[in-house]
């Protein structure tokens, strides 16, 4: 067994035009794997072309401070993360950062890609002057909660409810998310 190689097998890099299809495939696959039952109706009606167009725009013409990163195994994109700035709430305070998305292809999870993506995302937020990072975790997502807890993030008391789809009886199904954060 070779201990060292001349090139790295794994990496994180800024997303580039053309990565959007892999990002959408990873995002939908991760959502189906982690939340298939909870988001079944919503996942069934996703407009994948619209998602690809949105990710293409996020990669090529992002708003100020927004960034998209991809994790690679060799040349294959196996995960992604997206961050955005959070303005300071009071004059003189440092801004924060929001981890909008962090997903790894289910077949490549538990190989360190998520940790590399999170570390790179935090590095970018720090470069932009952020002093904290926050993200949202869906109720029941114990794997994400465990991952974030292991990275030093924790929940605060902020909860939000989002509509996920319309049930056959016409009522709206909602999901709850909890905000997690950490000083960086």
């Amino acid at each position: 067994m070779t201990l060292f190689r001349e090139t790295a097998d794994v990496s994180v890099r800024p997303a580039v035009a053309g990565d959007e299809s892999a990002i959408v495939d990873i995002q939908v696959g991760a959502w189906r794997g982690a939340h298939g039952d909870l988001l079944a109706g919503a996942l069934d009606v996703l407009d994948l072309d619209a998602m690809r167009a949105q990710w293409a725009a996020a990669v090529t013409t992002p708003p100020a401070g927004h960034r998209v990163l991809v994790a690679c195994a060799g040349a294959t994109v196996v995960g992604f993360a997206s961050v955005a700035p959070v303005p300071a709430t009071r004059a003189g305070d440092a801004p924060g950062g929001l981890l909008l998305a962090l997903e790894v292809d289910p077949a490549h999870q538990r190989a360190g890609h998520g940790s590399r993506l999170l570390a790179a995302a935090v590095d970018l937020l720090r470069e932009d002057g952020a002093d904290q990072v926050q993200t949202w975790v869906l109720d029941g997502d114990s794997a994400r909660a465990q991952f974030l807890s292991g990275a030093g993030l924790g929940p605060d008391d902020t909860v939000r409810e989002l509509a996920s789809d319309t049930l056959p009886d016409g009522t709206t199904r909602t999901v709850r998310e909890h905000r997690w954060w950490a000083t960086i």
Side-chain angles (χ1 to χ4, degrees), residues 16 29 93 100-101 170:
V16 296
D93 284 353
L100 297 166

Side-chain angles (χ1 to χ4, degrees), residues 54-70:
Q54 288 174 332
W55 278 113
V59 168
T60 60
T61 55
H66 289 66
R67 309 250 180 75
V68 180
L69 301 167
V70 294

Side-chain angles (χ1 to χ4, degrees), residues 84-106:
V86 175
T89 55
R90 295 182 306 223
D93 284 353
L98 180 62
L99 181 64
L100 297 166
L102 192 157
E103 302 293 351
V104 175
D105 183 316

Side-chain angles (χ1 to χ4, degrees), residues 131-159:
D131 70 349
Q132 51 92 15
V133 61
Q134 54 186 269
T135 192
W136 293 90
V137 178
L138 207 58
D139 262 355
D141 191 343
S142 57
R144 186 173 304 269
Q146 182 179 9
F147 168 74
L148 292 172
S149 179
L153 284 84
D156 64 16
D157 293 329
T158 307
V159 177

Side-chain angles (χ1 to χ4, degrees):
M1 177 168 114
T2 304
L3 181 59
F4 298 103
R5 299 177 187 198
E6 291 183 32
T7 58
D9 307 276
V10 294
S11 61
V12 172
R13 64 168 171 77
V16 296
D19 287 337
E20 60 275 2
S21 288
I23 290 171
V24 170
D25 290 346
I26 291 163
Q27 187 170 37
V28 173
W31 285 351
R32 285 191 193 286
H35 311 295
D37 294 339
L38 185 60
L39 300 176
L43 293 172
D44 293 339
V45 297
L46 290 175
D47 182 340
L48 301 181
D49 290 332
M51 289 177 70
R52 278 188 282 280
Q54 288 174 332
W55 278 113
V59 168
T60 60
T61 55
H66 289 66
R67 309 250 180 75
V68 180
L69 301 167
V70 294
C72 298
T76 304
V77 173
V78 298
F80 72 95
S82 176
V83 295
V86 175
T89 55
R90 295 182 306 223
D93 284 353
L98 180 62
L99 181 64
L100 297 166
L102 192 157
E103 302 293 351
V104 175
D105 183 316
H108 293 273
Q109 291 177 354
R110 305 229 181 266
H113 300 294
S115 296
R116 280 186 287 281
L117 282 165
L118 181 58
V122 167
D123 286 347
L124 289 175
L125 293 171
R126 281 184 182 136
E127 286 175 14
D128 290 342
D131 70 349
Q132 51 92 15
V133 61
Q134 54 186 269
T135 192
W136 293 90
V137 178
L138 207 58
D139 262 355
D141 191 343
S142 57
R144 186 173 304 269
Q146 182 179 9
F147 168 74
L148 292 172
S149 179
L153 284 84
D156 64 16
D157 293 329
T158 307
V159 177
R160 67 182 181 185
E161 290 192 359
L162 305 169
S164 67
D165 72 75
T166 303
L167 299 172
D169 66 3
T171 60
T172 301
R173 181 190 326 211
T174 60
V175 295
R176 290 175 47 128
E177 291 183 312
H178 299 267
R179 186 171 63 188
W180 284 56
W181 75 281
T183 300
I184 56 173

